[in-house]
Amino acid sequence: MRRRTVTAGNLEEFLEATAPAQAADQPQDQPQAPAARPAASRDHGLRTEFDFELPRGYVDEAGTVHRHGSMRLATARDELRPQIDLRVKENPAYLSVVLLSQVITRLGTITDVHAGVVERMYATDVAFLQDFYRRINSEGHTRAAVTCPHCEGGFEVDLSGGRLGES
């Protein structure tokens, strides 16, 4: 197997050389029809993004409270990247801040959720997000089995949002 180093200078040349050839019967000036999606990327009902509602809410610089957000499933890269982060090497407790900042896709109107945003969240909300992360990435859902302290009946609650008694 031959390896080739690609630099920014010769990237276009490399892409042209490795691009699939156009069919001989298709004119060069007409756009190609979009290729069918590969089988691996077809939707098979896998849910990859989960909505949540923070217990307290993130307060931004303008004083706006953001409570509703969305978190995606973590990839292996998401789990590995914090291990090389200098902030995590200096303080291992910072790992959850970096990890959460990578998988939270939206927080209210904020779409650029970075470590600084997670740092400024209330501890209650960070604990909620850590548990939420664990549930969707380990168990694949946002439901939790609970037991009523009065009647000892078991039931499930959805942790993704809403207050008790609200629909």
Side-chain angles (χ1 to χ4, degrees):
M1 180 168 170
R2 188 176 147 209
R3 293 181 186 218
R4 181 172 183 178
T5 304
V6 178
T7 62
N10 68 354
L11 181 61
E12 290 299 321
E13 172 190 330
F14 177 75
L15 290 174
E16 287 175 14
T18 59
Q22 282 189 326
D25 60 341
Q26 189 171 13
Q28 292 286 356
D29 57 344
Q30 289 187 358
Q32 291 183 341
R37 290 170 49 187
S41 68
R42 287 194 182 120
D43 182 22
H44 293 287
L46 177 64
R47 186 172 172 198
T48 60
E49 199 156 311
F50 297 82
D51 293 333
F52 61 82
E53 182 179 343
L54 295 175
R56 299 216 185 269
Y58 169 71
V59 182
D60 64 14
E61 297 83 18
T64 306
V65 179
H66 304 273
R67 292 188 62 204
H68 299 276
S70 186
M71 182 184 292
R72 66 174 172 78
L73 290 176
T75 63
R77 179 177 287 196
D78 293 327
E79 296 263 341
L80 294 170
R81 185 177 287 147
Q83 301 297 328
I84 60 171
D85 192 299
L86 294 177
R87 298 168 294 188
V88 174
K89 287 184 178 185
E90 291 175 7
N91 182 3
Y94 201 75
L95 179 118
S96 64
V97 171
V98 174
L99 188 56
L100 288 173
S101 69
Q102 291 181 143
V103 295
I104 297 173
T105 57
R106 179 184 53 80
L107 186 57
T109 57
I110 303 169
T111 56
D112 180 26
V113 180
H114 50 82
V117 170
V118 179
E119 285 176 350
R120 292 188 301 270
M121 287 183 178
Y122 294 112
T124 307
D125 291 335
V126 174
F128 169 84
L129 289 169
Q130 289 170 330
D131 184 56
F132 192 73
Y133 174 91
R134 183 186 57 77
R135 285 190 181 281
I136 67 172
N137 286 287
S138 298
E139 301 168 13
H141 59 79
T142 60
R143 296 178 309 277
V146 295
T147 304
C148 175
H150 299 291
C151 69
E152 296 185 14
F155 58 97
E156 285 187 344
V157 294
D158 189 351
L159 299 175
S160 65
R163 296 277 190 228
L164 290 176
E166 294 180 357
S167 45

